[in-house]
Amino acid sequence: MSKLIDRIEQGLSGLDQHNLRRRRRVTSTPSDAVMTVDGRSMLTFCSNDYLGLSAHPDIRAAFKEGVDLYGAGSGASHLISGHSLAHEQLEQRLAAMQAPYLVQARALYFSTGYMANLAMLSGLAAISLEQTEIFSENLNHASLIDGAKLARSKVKVYPHADVVALEKLLQDSTAENKIVVTDSVFSMDGVIAPLTEILAICERYDAWLVVDDAHGFGVLGATGAGVLEHLKLRSANLVYMGTLGKAAGVSGAFVAAHASVVEWLINRSRPYIYTTASAPALAHALLTSLEIISGAEGAQRRAHLHALTTQFKTAVGTAIAGMSLMESNTQIQPLIVGDNHAALQIAAQLYERGIWVPAIRPPTVPAGTARLRITLSAAHNSAQVTRLLDELSSLQKKVA
Ligand SMILES: *Cc1c(COP(=O)(O)O)cnc(C)c1O
């Protein structure tokens, strides 16, 4: 056999030795509290479909209607002929949602959040590569780290939630184009970044504040507009990214910022320009999803999700089955195990009992902090959360 394949296979056995090999399970029903997984019915606590919208009948119907109106695919990139009326309407709706928190808000739709982050960071840096410096939070999502790499500018990483360290870095920087970038809700912790303080510092040093609200959009704020609404922030320095495949239940993402920033991205951001526009039917379905999110039903779903989160946190306390709960007030409720193998074993025991919770290991989280990433959704009911709690505490009895 070729040496090339040999080397790959050695790499794979290296992953096995450290309990880092990943595998995919096959689901054959819509994303929901109960799903068919590898042919078996499972109670799930793993998806980011936080409002339970992905299976929503109105959104499914809108998706089908979108296919009838616009066909299956867009046919080209947005700058050629792929920018449909559905994309345009979606961007206007998204801009209106973020308008209270930005100055001259405009929105730009992307096929994924990963692409949006590559486009946003490399696009902002493309104003002047030599004059750009990026200040990146230590726990940022991989797509922001990769976006910073694509930006080909100097990158400084600041310690998690350390506003003092961030200010020191900005003070010492001579770059004209300073970009501070952070997750709003940290995806593997559920904790919210101190954005009020960070924004004040960014304004003091005239830096951009780029916020990735993948886990806040749809969930945070009275109307589900996300973290800026939740914390009542407003600034011309803000560049906001929200994803539409998580709480919004469909697919894609958007950047919202000052109209000139969006105009610049359309003209100069390669990950925006050189890719086929996603299916217009997705944008058409998202219009219905946004209507639900900002209406009375969205508010009800958020209240229900919040009640489930309180139920879970109250029952667990600070620790259960030898695992410790992180201090999160959001729908992401991780239980820290530490060791990779132990985390896998606990997840396997739960799976055996019909409950699917993912074990998250490095490099997604720092070494020694492997965890069960429990995510709650408005699709759950209180009895299902009780069942999870019962199974977790019966693990504890077995361990004790
Ligand atoms: C999921 C996620 C993304 C990527 O969004 P996709 O639409 O899934 O590509 C970006 N940032 C964060 C923090 C995420 O959790």
Side-chain angles (χ1 to χ4, degrees):
M1 207 198 302
S2 151
K3 275 221 177 73
L4 298 172
I5 302 290
D6 274 355
R7 251 181 246 124
I8 294 288
E9 289 179 350
Q10 278 162 23
L12 287 170
S13 24
L15 293 180
D16 286 335
Q17 274 163 27
H18 296 98
N19 295 298
L20 290 176
R21 169 95 73 136
R22 308 196 179 193
R23 56 166 295 220
R24 301 168 305 169
R25 296 193 187 275
V26 178
T27 64
S28 48
T29 49
S31 161
D32 210 338
V34 176
M35 296 171 71
T36 303
V37 186
D38 291 334
R40 177 177 165 201
S41 175
M42 298 289 294
L43 176 58
T44 72
F45 292 91
C46 21
S47 93
N48 304 313
D49 181 18
Y50 301 127
L51 296 178
L53 292 184
S54 126
H56 196 291
D58 296 354
I59 300 175
R60 293 196 210 197
F63 198 167
K64 289 176 192 157
E65 184 183 67
V67 172
D68 288 338
L69 285 169
Y70 301 102
S74 71
S77 69
H78 284 276
L79 288 181
I80 305 298
S81 62
H83 189 64
S84 76
L85 177 63
H87 293 125
E88 184 61 28
Q89 287 170 334
L90 176 63
E91 289 180 347
Q92 285 178 14
R93 186 75 196 83
L94 290 165
M97 273 179 98
Q98 299 304 322
Y101 321 109
L102 305 170
V103 175
Q104 282 189 46
R106 187 175 171 193
L108 189 62
Y109 176 64
F110 290 86
S111 51
T112 71
Y114 189 97
M115 291 282 277
N117 281 342
L118 295 187
M120 179 167 72
L121 289 176
S122 67
L124 281 176
I127 280 283
S128 163
L129 289 188
E130 315 77 61
Q131 275 307 323
T132 296
E133 197 164 352
I134 296 176
F135 304 88
S136 177
E137 144 84 55
N138 187 35
L139 293 187
N140 272 349
H141 190 261
S143 57
L144 292 172
I145 296 168
D146 294 356
K149 282 184 190 156
L150 193 65
R152 292 179 294 146
S153 303
K154 244 202 285 181
V155 179
K156 294 243 164 73
V157 176
Y158 66 93
H160 177 53
D162 192 337
V163 200
V164 176
L166 172 63
E167 174 154 24
K168 182 83 178 59
L169 290 175
L170 287 172
Q171 213 166 28
D172 293 346
S173 169
T174 54
E176 280 164 18
N177 193 36
K178 303 182 187 68
I179 304 172
V180 173
V181 56
T182 182
D183 280 23
S184 57
V185 179
F186 290 94
S187 51
M188 298 300 138
D189 294 30
V191 173
I192 301 181
L195 289 175
T196 307
E197 292 83 352
I198 294 176
L199 180 59
I201 294 174
C202 287
E203 290 192 327
R204 199 171 311 145
Y205 295 92
D206 202 23
W208 297 109
L209 175 52
V210 173
V211 177
D212 176 339
D213 201 25
H215 301 277
F217 181 77
V219 173
L220 294 176
T223 69
V227 76
L228 303 183
E229 179 184 29
H230 178 64
L231 297 175
K232 302 185 171 61
L233 304 178
R234 177 182 159 90
S235 172
N237 294 40
L238 281 166
V239 176
Y240 178 87
M241 195 287 282
T243 63
L244 301 167
K246 290 174 177 159
V250 187
S251 185
F254 67 100
V255 171
H258 189 285
S260 299
V261 173
V262 168
E263 186 65 15
W264 174 256
L265 295 181
I266 291 172
N267 281 277
R268 272 289 176 260
S269 184
R270 295 163 66 90
Y272 182 73
I273 298 168
Y274 297 103
T275 187
T276 301
S278 69
L282 292 167
H284 190 73
L286 279 163
L287 286 168
T288 297
S289 167
L290 295 184
E291 219 171 280
I292 294 169
I293 285 173
S294 37
E297 186 180 342
Q300 271 165 18
R301 284 176 183 256
R302 281 187 290 279
H304 178 53
L305 178 59
H306 190 71
L308 295 174
T309 305
T310 306
Q311 179 195 349
F312 179 80
K313 276 177 60 108
T314 310
V316 170
T318 54
I320 192 163
M323 299 176 277
S324 55
L325 190 69
M326 287 199 89
E327 250 180 80
S328 154
N329 293 318
T330 65
Q331 70 283 359
I332 302 168
Q333 290 292 326
L335 284 167
I336 303 288
V337 179
D339 177 67
N340 296 342
H341 183 62
L344 282 176
Q345 267 195 326
I346 295 170
Q349 283 170 3
L350 285 173
Y351 196 86
E352 204 123 291
R353 297 160 190 218
I355 297 187
W356 189 16
V357 176
I360 308 286
R361 290 157 284 161
T364 310
V365 293
T369 70
R371 64 197 68 183
L372 297 186
R373 180 179 182 262
I374 294 165
T375 52
L376 300 167
S377 161
H380 291 120
N381 60 38
S382 157
Q384 289 168 330
V385 172
T386 302
R387 176 147 172 249
L388 169 66
L389 289 159
D390 289 348
E391 295 294 1
L392 283 170
S393 55
S394 83
L395 287 181
Q396 186 167 36
K397 290 200 191 78
K398 247 178 75 181
V399 172

